[in-house]
Amino acid sequence: MNTLAERYVRLVLAVGQHDADYVDAYYGPAEWRTEAEAGKLPLTEIASRATALAQAVAAAKPPVTADEMTQLRYQYLARQLDALRARVSMLTGTKLRFDEESKALYDAVAPTHTEADFANVLTQLEARLPGSGSLVDRYDAFRSRFIIPHERLDAAFKAAIDGCRSRTLRHITLPPGESFTVEYVTGKSWSGYNWYQGNFRSLIQVNTDLPIYVDRAIDLACHEGYPGHHVYNVLLEKNLLRDRGWIEFSVYALFSPQSLIAEGTANYGIEVAFPRAERIEFERRVLFPAAGLDPSTTTQYYDVLALVDQLSYAGNEAARRYINGTIDAKGAADWLEKYGLYSRPRAEQRVRFVDQYRSYVINYNLGKDMVAAYIESRGNDRWREFARLISSPRLPSSLITPNFQLPTPK
Ligand SMILES: [Zn+2]
């Protein structure tokens, strides 16, 4: 398996020569990257090597008597490699529909929604945000009272990171020396990004192009940091790469099933670290004051956000229609505005995100809901199950248990 895994890592690095977003993190042998850069294999050669590797992997299937981690490792490598082949095929011109693409790359398909599915939630928001003008404008005006002023951003983030980190460390043991740095950037299609560097370190970038609302402090600190991407990558490096020597975990191919697990656990991790009541208490006591906001408005703000959160699948729908060519970029932004309550600049930023990352959007909300359903089906100790999930190579389709059900807008 180690030889097959090395061939996989080298192929991921080779694809990275054609697709700047593909290699999200790499901390294996430096000479492998140098060789990939120097060799710059053509896509057709990568495709034929990937086919040969898939055959070799199929022939190395472990016996049914092998232990669970061996089985998981094998299934994961085989499926990650399938996703690599799909991405290479896309890079050579194959056009996939949204659902075909998400199945091929992320091992999951998001449910389809119509306008009517969001009507009830929009009606509830109409009642909560009375006044004239469109609902999205009223929501934007309401939200504008919860912007973190630029000069208070860093203090608010630091307070949020402290809160997320201390809660995480009560339940998950991290190797000594783990840490990350935060940078503020502009001109990106995303709002935050964790660039994992290896050696238990991350660089977290926060995009300040658009106003940052107070809820983003905990969301970003948990999602990008603790117990989200930073912790996920640290545990993969510690448990799978260093302790077991599984070299395939020295590379992270962005357009692969791993991303559904990464984004899904990062988003679900927000709720694990901060269940609603604890979050409201922390926001009121720590973050609203850090951001210079009125703490007495905390509950009101989070009640509205909970409703808007039920519109998240409207974002997938806009992306699906846009990728499938049913609507154009303007139509996608219109959809996001009307059914997802994205302000115009945010809707346009999101369309740019879809241009760059396409069906990746499902990893956030479908990923979260899949991870939540899986973890909650396994008993009451959410932290234990969470730590177990992010320490083992599990595929998205394997999270779907017999009682699996996604939440619907209500
Ligand atoms: Zn993320």
Side-chain angles (χ1 to χ4, degrees):
M1 277 297 280
N2 288 342
T3 322
L4 301 174
E6 176 180 332
R7 285 164 66 186
Y8 166 76
V9 175
R10 289 176 179 274
L11 283 176
V12 172
L13 296 174
V15 178
Q17 296 303 307
H18 299 270
D19 177 350
D21 293 320
Y22 192 65
V23 181
D24 195 69
Y26 176 64
Y27 39 98
E31 62 271 23
W32 294 4
R33 174 151 47 199
T34 316
E35 283 164 31
E37 285 162 4
K40 201 172 192 306
L41 292 180
L43 286 165
T44 48
E45 176 60 23
I46 297 173
S48 63
R49 288 190 190 187
T51 303
L53 178 56
Q55 285 160 0
V57 169
K61 191 175 190 332
V64 286
T65 49
D67 65 82
E68 188 191 30
M69 282 298 273
T70 303
Q71 306 278 6
L72 290 177
R73 180 191 191 191
Y74 171 79
Q75 290 156 10
Y76 198 78
L77 181 62
R79 189 64 185 82
Q80 289 284 116
L81 179 59
D82 282 347
L84 177 144
R85 296 171 72 195
R87 184 69 186 173
V88 170
S89 163
M90 288 169 65
L91 291 170
T92 52
T94 301
K95 299 261 181 280
L96 297 179
R97 290 178 65 77
F98 185 86
D99 290 344
E100 291 168 339
E101 180 187 307
S102 77
K103 178 79 189 151
L105 298 183
Y106 309 117
D107 197 30
V109 173
T112 302
H113 292 88
T114 66
E115 291 84 340
D117 291 317
F118 307 109
N120 194 17
V121 174
L122 291 171
T123 305
Q124 293 174 64
L125 282 161
E126 290 278 356
R128 278 217 170 240
L129 303 167
S132 56
S134 66
L135 179 59
V136 66
D137 287 345
R138 272 139 56 202
Y139 175 53
D140 207 42
F142 168 78
R143 260 197 127 180
S144 69
R145 291 154 42 201
F146 302 93
I147 292 170
I148 307 176
H150 198 80
E151 67 279 9
R152 287 179 180 262
L153 258 187
D154 199 48
F157 272 126
K158 289 211 166 93
I161 289 164
D162 285 348
C164 296
R165 187 166 189 274
S166 63
R167 278 164 176 74
T168 301
L169 291 182
R170 273 180 232 151
H171 304 277
I172 296 180
T173 306
L174 295 177
E178 61 76 24
S179 70
F180 63 71
T181 43
V182 179
E183 274 179 16
Y184 298 91
V185 299
T186 53
K188 305 293 179 189
S189 67
W190 36 257
S191 56
Y193 211 110
N194 178 318
W195 303 98
Y196 190 64
Q197 318 275 291
N199 278 321
F200 309 139
R201 282 168 204 278
S202 295
L203 167 65
I204 293 178
Q205 292 185 324
V206 176
N207 181 3
T208 57
D209 283 340
L210 296 176
I212 297 182
Y213 302 97
V214 65
D215 55 292
R216 295 298 289 153
I218 280 188
D219 282 2
L220 279 172
C222 284
H223 180 104
E224 309 295 347
Y226 307 93
H229 292 322
H230 175 66
V231 170
Y232 172 68
N233 284 296
V234 163
L235 292 184
L236 289 183
E237 182 178 0
K238 168 77 177 65
N239 296 325
L240 302 185
L241 180 67
R242 295 199 185 193
D243 293 355
R244 290 180 184 263
W246 292 357
I247 194 68
E248 65 272 38
F249 292 94
S250 66
V251 77
Y252 174 5
L254 190 68
F255 304 110
S256 75
Q258 179 168 2
S259 280
L260 185 134
I261 303 292
E263 301 299 355
T265 52
N267 269 351
Y268 183 60
I270 301 167
E271 284 174 23
V272 176
F274 281 99
R276 182 180 156 97
E278 268 185 60
R279 175 157 185 176
I280 297 220
E281 188 278 327
F282 188 79
E283 297 273 358
R284 195 187 329 243
R285 181 170 52 81
V286 179
L287 291 178
F288 274 57
L293 305 175
D294 174 6
S296 73
T297 56
T298 309
T299 306
Q300 179 200 14
Y301 183 55
Y302 279 90
D303 284 348
V304 170
L305 285 194
L307 279 170
V308 175
D309 189 50
Q310 294 191 47
L311 302 174
S312 87
Y313 281 85
N316 297 4
E317 209 53 57
R320 177 187 278 118
R321 292 172 187 214
Y322 179 48
I323 295 290
N324 289 348
T326 319
I327 54 178
D328 61 9
K330 182 188 170 298
D334 290 346
W335 234 87
L336 288 166
E337 249 190 319
K338 187 160 182 199
Y339 300 104
L341 291 195
Y342 284 62
S343 66
R344 197 70 195 184
R346 210 164 284 276
E348 285 168 357
Q349 184 190 62
R350 193 62 175 172
V351 174
R352 289 197 298 279
F353 184 93
V354 176
D355 282 330
Q356 189 173 359
Y357 299 104
R358 302 173 55 92
S359 65
Y360 192 94
V361 293
I362 71 154
N363 293 327
Y364 298 100
N365 52 1
L366 179 66
K368 178 193 164 186
D369 289 337
M370 286 173 67
V371 164
Y374 172 78
I375 286 184
E376 285 160 23
S377 74
R378 299 180 58 86
N380 293 325
D381 193 342
R382 299 202 296 179
W383 274 110
R384 189 192 62 204
E385 293 301 329
F386 185 87
R388 182 178 155 276
L389 177 58
I390 59 173
S391 305
S392 56
R394 255 164 233 280
L395 289 169
S397 54
S398 78
L399 302 184
I400 296 176
T401 50
N403 299 325
F404 180 78
Q405 242 186 341
L406 287 175
T408 48
K410 42 186 180 299

